[in-house]
Amino acid sequence: MSANLHEFKDGAALAEGLADRVAGALAEAVNTRGRASIAVSGGSTPKAFFKALSSRDIDWAKVTITLVDERFVPADNPRSNHLLVADNLLQGKAEAAQFLPLYRDAGSAEEAAKIVTADAAALGHPFDVVILGMGADGHTASFFPGGSRLAEAISPETPRGVITMEADGAGEPRLTFTFASLQDARLLVLHIEGQGKKDVLATAEGDGPETDMPIRAVLRRAATPVDIYWAP
């Protein structure tokens, strides 16, 4: 298990520090390869970071933004991660970025996953940046304890791409990138805030099955050390 902990005095300082780090990684990718890609998480925690990142002066027209996971709901649904990104990240300078949505107007979540997997392949791999969050139960992306396809999602044998996930309490079916799609990002960040999340992380860093706390799969098996960004 390998991780680098970056602590900040508050969420505002974290948002600015993380935005600087991510903007630097994206700018480096654009300069060296002509394109950059980033997959971000949903929820309320990243809002301030999204707004800070959107103001950074990089060549956004050469950046593709996607999500690590999404609910199978249209983009205008209040529970949509797409809506969260549109309102907080795809603004200002970052409005020029390309966005790859996970939700598609398909007959089922399974059909949508197949479409997105094909579209995401055009980005190449690995992602330049992946930003993950973590729930109080130790889930990350839509890798839920007890999830319908959890073992498949976190298995190193499962190919890159998007699969579906259902779990008690998760609401709508989810679309989530597999662990193989995320684990070798050039910059892999776990963004958490609050003492409660830090306590959950401490538990996850201990012994126990990855299926009990799926964040363990990331901490234990990521190709590079995970950068943990935390504020009280």
Side-chain angles (χ1 to χ4, degrees):
M1 184 177 295
S2 182
N4 302 312
L5 177 62
H6 307 267
E7 298 189 52
F8 295 82
K9 65 178 182 179
D10 56 33
L14 187 159
E16 293 296 325
L18 183 54
D20 286 341
R21 179 77 183 281
V22 170
L26 294 176
E28 180 181 1
V30 169
N31 289 337
T32 58
R33 292 182 296 280
R35 295 289 313 169
S37 59
I38 176 173
V40 299
S41 61
S44 59
T45 300
K47 284 184 179 181
F49 158 63
F50 286 167
K51 291 178 179 178
L53 182 60
S54 70
S55 70
R56 295 307 191 261
D57 190 14
I58 61 178
D59 192 349
W60 284 106
K62 296 179 180 178
V63 176
T64 299
I65 300 171
T66 190
L67 291 154
V68 297
D69 67 330
E70 176 64 284
R71 296 173 176 87
F72 188 58
V73 296
D76 59 356
N77 187 296
R79 289 170 55 78
S80 166
N81 287 334
H82 183 162
L83 183 62
L84 175 78
V85 169
D87 287 349
N88 295 279
L89 178 52
L90 296 173
Q91 301 288 330
K93 295 176 181 177
E95 189 175 6
Q98 298 182 44
F99 182 69
L100 177 68
L102 300 195
Y103 172 82
R104 302 301 170 93
D105 186 13
S108 67
E110 289 75 14
E111 290 181 25
K114 291 177 183 178
I115 295 169
V116 180
T117 294
D119 289 349
L123 294 178
H125 56 76
F127 283 115
D128 292 298
V129 181
V130 167
I131 310 291
L132 295 171
M134 183 184 70
D137 59 356
H139 86 263
T140 190
S142 283
F143 306 157
F144 292 104
S148 59
R149 300 176 70 183
L150 176 60
E152 180 182 359
I154 65 175
S155 170
E157 304 303 319
T158 303
R160 297 174 190 270
V162 173
I163 65 172
T164 61
M165 185 74 68
E166 296 186 42
D168 291 343
E172 304 87 352
R174 302 294 184 100
L175 299 158
T176 187
F177 272 102
T178 62
F179 174 74
S181 305
L182 308 175
Q183 58 86 27
D184 58 352
R186 294 182 174 92
L187 173 61
L188 180 56
V189 173
L190 176 61
H191 175 187
I192 55 174
E193 297 184 19
Q195 185 60 46
K197 291 288 182 72
K198 195 174 187 183
D199 293 343
V200 172
L201 181 64
T203 300
E205 289 174 332
D207 295 334
E210 293 177 357
T211 49
D212 286 355
M213 299 185 77
I215 188 62
R216 286 175 173 152
V218 177
L219 295 172
R220 293 173 179 174
R221 296 192 278 121
T224 59
V226 179
D227 280 279
I228 301 169
Y229 277 68
W230 177 80

